[in-house]
Amino acid sequence: MLRTNSGRVGLALLMSLALVPPPASAKGTKAAKDARVYFISPSDGETVTGPLICRFGLRNMGVTHAGDDFAGSGHHHLLVDVDETMQAGEPIPRDKKHIHYAAGETEARIELPPGKHTLQLVLGDTRHLNFDPPLVSEKIMITVGKPNGSEEARATRGTGERRKVLERASAPEPLQLQPTVTPEMTKSPESSDFISRVLTGSK
Ligand SMILES: [Cu+2]
């Protein structure tokens, strides 16, 4: 039987690990009064194509890197298409939809698939936990359009063919590396001699 004392000790240890000491307060590190997290860019409702530059704003608190528990500071997290509400003192998940800027970044370049996306910022404490109360920005909605040069973008715009014709018309003629010999020029032996002299540079 494995139901021994050591098993019970192990269980007790597991239970105590689950009850890891709470952060500064029962619900997490206290957020500074009047602290505010917000997007400098993009703005709500904006349509972008290609990579998106997000700029993170923070008022009445400071930005530092994770692991630095200087009072009144934290680091940014970008939530992409996240619906759940952040809870005080709870860890901020770490996955594709919860991006940590643990080096104290205040700007990020992100690439999202075409379509509508929600973005929200969350400031986390030194241990990636939510502050108490959670410091979240307004949730904004952006639309990522298809890049201008892509075939899909042309097709969806319905002007693909016209655009191609215009591109062809404005494209420079390919460079002629060999002189063109017209039928007239090859009529007489003299003229073809002349052409070959020109081509070879002989007199
Ligand atoms: Cu974090």
Side-chain angles (χ1 to χ4, degrees):
M1 275 302 268
L2 286 172
R3 200 178 283 268
T4 60
N5 269 348
S6 68
R8 253 180 244 130
V9 169
L11 185 65
L13 188 68
L14 265 180
M15 284 175 76
S16 66
L17 280 177
L19 299 169
V20 167
S25 82
K27 281 188 171 175
T29 310
K30 282 282 170 201
K33 213 180 159 208
D34 304 329
R36 191 180 153 233
V37 187
Y38 58 98
F39 280 100
I40 299 168
S41 72
S43 38
D44 191 21
E46 197 171 320
T47 297
V48 296
T49 51
L52 174 66
I53 304 294
C54 291
R55 295 191 170 89
F56 317 143
L58 175 63
R59 213 169 277 172
N60 296 323
M61 276 184 78
V63 175
T64 187
H65 50 83
D68 176 4
D69 58 1
F70 190 78
S73 69
H75 64 279
H76 284 290
H77 302 80
L78 180 64
L79 311 189
V80 182
D81 298 326
V82 168
D83 287 330
E84 63 264 33
T85 313
M86 293 291 116
Q87 303 294 332
E90 288 295 312
I92 298 163
R94 187 187 294 270
D95 53 36
K96 273 187 184 172
K97 294 169 124 196
H98 302 77
I99 309 166
H100 291 241
Y101 295 98
E105 298 97 318
T106 54
E107 176 174 315
R109 182 180 184 273
I110 58 164
E111 293 199 44
L112 295 170
K116 286 190 186 299
H117 299 279
T118 63
L119 298 175
Q120 190 173 30
L121 286 172
V122 182
L123 198 75
D125 74 2
T126 179
R127 299 198 295 166
H128 312 274
L129 306 177
N130 273 296
F131 281 93
D132 179 19
L135 280 176
V136 293
S137 75
E138 173 198 7
K139 191 184 276 186
I140 64 170
M141 168 87 77
I142 60 149
T143 304
V144 177
K146 296 191 170 76
N148 286 332
S150 79
E151 284 295 326
E152 281 174 276
R154 284 185 218 153
T156 52
R157 248 178 265 133
T159 54
E161 275 314 302
R162 191 164 60 89
R163 181 176 278 256
K164 274 179 201 155
V165 170
L166 285 173
E167 273 168 9
R168 244 178 267 135
S170 60
E173 283 296 314
L175 205 59
Q176 293 282 351
L177 294 176
Q178 294 294 325
T180 310
V181 179
T182 65
E184 287 75 27
M185 289 165 91
T186 56
K187 258 176 199 161
S188 74
E190 297 83 50
S191 62
S192 58
D193 272 347
F194 170 76
I195 289 159
S196 65
R197 278 202 304 278
V198 169
L199 289 176
T200 58
S202 63
K203 294 199 172 169

